[in-house]
Amino acid sequence: MKAGRELFLNLGFNGCGVQEIATASGIPKGSFYSYFDSKEAFAMAVLEEYWSDVEERFGGILVDTKLPPAKRIARYFHELSEEKAANNYAHGCLIGNLSLEISNASSQVRSKLSDIFERWEASLVRCLREAQGKSEITRHADLSNLAAAIIESWEGAAMRAKVEQKRWPYRRFEEVLLPALLQG
């Protein structure tokens, strides 16, 4: 999976074929189909592994009660953004990358992406609900829409940072947009 994730991040879904995936994974091309019915099925597995990894490494931030909920959200997105520096911001986010590249071509991948976005939003809604309960954000905020807007805005910053290969789109998200969204 890791080799496939790296290929998708570096070359995109359409930029690599089953042969490149098999070679990077150290398996014969024919063995690929022993594990996956199609390249799309592989992409869905890579996405699930990618999201599980994100949740494992960063999800705890959103439930860390040592910080107020709004600060948890800010820290969570800061840490996600900081991770992108390792590759000079050139990779972007696999979720956003594949959303743009293949969601129109594969209903299965689109469904997997939708599921991941829903899970991501749900984790933010839980933290936003806490923030609302502590009067950190307005009690009138539609938390589902707010969570979606935050994610969509961060994904936009990820896309721009990938193009520019610089941190400033993330910084603008963290310093300008996120505080405005959380003020409700």
Side-chain angles (χ1 to χ4, degrees), residues 26-40:
I27 62 169
K29 182 178 178 180
S31 294
F32 176 87
Y33 293 104
S34 297
Y35 298 99
F36 301 100
D37 293 336
S38 64
K39 189 174 155 190
E40 287 81 11

Side-chain angles (χ1 to χ4, degrees), residues 74-90 154 156-158 160-175:
R75 181 170 171 231
Y76 173 81
F77 282 101
H78 177 77
E79 294 299 323
L80 287 177
S81 301
E82 282 297 304
E83 178 191 46
K84 304 306 177 192
N87 295 297
N88 295 319
Y89 308 101
W154 187 84
R160 182 76 184 263
K162 181 178 177 178
V163 169
E164 303 294 337
Q165 296 188 354
K166 295 195 177 6
R167 174 106 177 56
W168 62 263
Y170 292 117
R171 190 170 295 119
R172 190 167 35 234
F173 168 82
E174 293 170 30
E175 295 173 4

Side-chain angles (χ1 to χ4, degrees), residues 9 50 84 89-97 154-155 158-159 161-162 170:
L9 284 168
Y50 178 82
K84 304 306 177 192
Y89 308 101
H91 286 169
C93 171
L94 186 64
I95 297 163
N97 293 352
W154 187 84
E155 284 292 345
M159 181 180 66
K162 181 178 177 178
Y170 292 117

Side-chain angles (χ1 to χ4, degrees), residues 15 23 25 45 55 64 71-72 103 107 179:
T23 299
S25 300
E55 285 182 313
D64 181 0
K71 288 190 189 260
R72 285 184 238 159
S103 63
S107 62

Side-chain angles (χ1 to χ4, degrees), residues 147-159:
I150 290 169
I151 291 166
E152 291 158 3
S153 300
W154 187 84
E155 284 292 345
M159 181 180 66

